Amino acid sequence: MDDVHLVSHRTGMHPVLSLAPRTAPDDQPAEWTLEATPSTVRWSRGAATMEAVFASRDTLRLRGDDGVTLRLTEAAAELTPFTGMFLFRDPRDGSPVFTSYETGCRYRITAIRGSLRVEGAESLGAAVRAVEVATADGDGWEIAIEEFETSRSPFVASSRFDRCVAEVSTEFADFARVVAPWSTGDSALTTTREASVLAAYVLWSATVAPAGFLSRESVLMSKHWMDKVWSWDHCFNALAVAPADAALALDQFLAPFDHQDPTGALPDSIAHSERLYNFVKPPIHGWAFAKLRERLARPLAADDLRLVYGHLSRWSRFWLEQRTAPGRELPHYQHGNDSGWDNSTTFDRDRVIESPDLAAFLVVQLDVLADLADELGLDEGRSWRAERDRVETALTSELLDDEGFFAVGPLSGIPSTRTSLLTLLPVLISDRLPRSVSDLLAERIAAHLTAWGPATQLVDTPEYESDGYWRGPIWAPSTMLLEEGLRRGGHVELADTVSDRFRALCERSGFAENFDALSGEGLRDRAYTWTASVYLVLAHEHAQRSSARLSEASV
């Protein structure tokens, strides 16, 4: 194995320190075995071991056996005026401190037990900057590594290492038990239980404290390289955590709305030190909020409803006013990135398109707004329903023919191809469409199905790519939207098939960003939170349906 690194997600993803245990000066990383649980990471080589646990969000505790040394080395090889780490000893207590240009934070190392040897303190430029930890009294060693910005009192251990492990283990077990209660019983299938616990871990471990532009406790999309919050990904994470923590779920839903601009647009993405507006994401938020309320462990307060109503109103007005061209009835995307389907073949003829998925999402959102207005006693429900009906009429009159839905360039007037799953997402409003249209959508969705789920591009077309991002692979969000739309249209058997195959895919291949539609292999980022979230929601709903069937059979 390679050396393990302590990584920070402030100002981007940055490796900070390399953690290299040794029993001899010439030890190689490959000679150590690495094991991980939700609470600890454990290195072992024969009888020699070293362990790590996050005692808090900003403190890592490590301990090692007698005879094991740990070498902590800065990840950057050189200190420049803009990059790298400066190492010095704090005169107050002698503790070595690395200060990072990339993260803007300090990393202080305190010996709880054992000795520290510092190499390269106060050096500049290209130099070795390292701290070596070793046993001082023959009883092993233990250290704490803290991350903070400016200053902090000298570290004092308030809990024993094993107590920290127990607390973290309990915290995760409690979270997993509530997020995936169906996986804890004796009757739960082993594969379902293991996948559910892993999915819960993916979410739990990617949750970060409020900082920078992330003004709420936030579930990042990944702790790999997709360490941001995109303005539609967050909806699926909110749905997954809703049964466990209503406050965390609402925070996930509202995080991008904290940065809604004066026109009503949401940012494309937010991170600790970055907020991007050059693209947006599709308006699935009305649908997501209605579903969120169904899954929450408690009802939302009237103040929360009014807050969400205001945000959804401005978000809808953005599409109706800022993204609808004069003389046109339907809003448009300006790029594939706006749709979330960055390189879908629907955008091959025109990048700027009026797309059927966008119109369908807006129909749902306007309907949700109308109901919220009524619930809050606002005299705006009728106007939202009029807008809903206008958009729905334009969708079916302008983007639908006998072969199904298509997109069109508002400037060129050229229809798109229809081999992408994107043009089938109006299935989400199939309960509002004529039965013949709903049936056609179901038939075309079935043509996209592989043994693992719905491919985003028909696999028998020249444009299909096994690792083509939105030109072939199976994705979690499209799967969930299709599955719900099929149920709304009464195509229950096909919806069950979609759910069953995607859950089996995750149980086999984990929670990758997307999957090869034919082989089921996980692709790109291998621990993506919205994939874990969709699995948890589909598994929960499957368990509820199974329980209902058993109850009916026993009556």
Side-chain angles (χ1 to χ4, degrees), residues 8-86:
S8 173
H9 294 271
R10 290 174 178 264
T11 69
M13 186 180 74
H14 300 288
V16 177
L17 293 171
S18 170
L19 313 178
R22 298 285 186 266
T23 55
D26 58 349
D27 276 4
Q28 297 301 311
E31 297 172 342
W32 288 81
T33 300
L34 196 65
E35 298 174 278
T37 70
S39 57
T40 61
V41 176
R42 179 185 176 90
W43 293 256
S44 61
R45 183 177 184 234
T49 64
M50 182 180 85
E51 292 179 286
V53 61
F54 275 101
S56 67
R57 292 177 186 260
D58 60 13
T59 303
L60 179 70
R61 297 269 291 268
L62 296 106
R63 69 180 179 187
D65 293 339
D66 188 28
V68 175
T69 61
L70 170 63
R71 187 169 176 82
L72 300 163
T73 310
E74 65 163 334
E78 183 177 4
L79 177 63
T80 77
F82 307 103
T83 62
M85 304 259 281
F86 176 64

Side-chain angles (χ1 to χ4, degrees), residues 427-431 480-490:
V427 72
L428 193 62
I429 60 168
S430 58
D431 53 338
M480 185 173 181
L481 292 165
L482 292 173
E483 194 264 1
E484 178 160 328
L486 289 168
R487 292 194 190 282
R488 291 186 178 193

Side-chain angles (χ1 to χ4, degrees), residues 454-466:
T456 47
Q457 175 72 18
L458 287 171
V459 299
D460 59 356
T461 58
E463 295 83 7
Y464 172 81
E465 299 176 39
S466 60

Side-chain angles (χ1 to χ4, degrees), residues 230-393:
W230 276 265
S231 292
W232 72 310
D233 309 47
H234 70 108
C235 291
F236 300 93
N237 291 342
L239 294 175
V241 302
D245 190 329
L248 179 62
L250 191 59
D251 277 343
Q252 300 324 298
F253 181 79
L254 289 172
F257 285 103
D258 291 339
H259 305 281
Q260 198 166 17
D261 83 356
T263 71
L266 296 183
D268 181 38
S269 63
I270 52 176
H272 171 268
S273 304
E274 179 184 83
R275 183 178 58 183
L276 300 178
Y277 287 96
N278 55 326
F279 297 108
V280 291
K281 285 293 175 278
I284 68 167
H285 303 81
W287 163 81
F289 184 66
K291 193 173 182 71
L292 180 67
R293 294 184 72 183
E294 296 172 0
R295 291 181 54 78
L296 284 172
R298 60 168 174 79
L300 291 177
D303 286 347
D304 291 329
L305 296 179
R306 280 190 285 269
L307 176 64
V308 172
Y309 178 81
H311 284 313
L312 289 180
S313 297
R314 292 190 291 277
W315 182 218
S316 299
R317 285 294 171 200
F318 166 79
W319 290 101
L320 296 171
E321 297 170 0
Q322 303 295 323
R323 285 294 185 89
T324 302
R328 307 292 296 184
E329 294 293 324
L330 292 172
H332 58 265
Y333 293 132
Q334 295 178 344
H335 186 279
N337 289 359
D338 284 344
S339 73
W341 293 52
D342 310 1
N343 65 334
S344 163
T345 56
T346 309
F347 295 89
D348 281 359
R349 292 179 179 173
D350 286 285
R351 303 293 182 265
V352 180
I353 61 172
E354 294 169 356
S355 189
D357 67 304
L358 171 54
F361 293 149
L362 201 53
V363 166
V364 175
Q365 186 156 293
L366 294 169
D367 196 47
V368 170
L369 271 171
D371 289 345
L372 267 176
D374 294 346
E375 186 177 352
L376 292 169
L378 304 174
D379 188 25
E380 298 175 359
R382 180 177 298 179
S383 63
W384 288 124
R385 291 186 178 93
E387 292 281 22
R388 176 202 65 193
D389 293 344
R390 181 187 61 78
V391 173
E392 184 177 334
T393 298

Side-chain angles (χ1 to χ4, degrees), residues 185-206:
D186 293 337
S187 62
L189 295 174
T190 301
T191 52
T192 300
R193 182 186 301 113
E194 292 176 350
S196 298
V197 171
L198 180 58
Y201 176 76
V202 170
L203 286 172
W204 178 78
S205 64

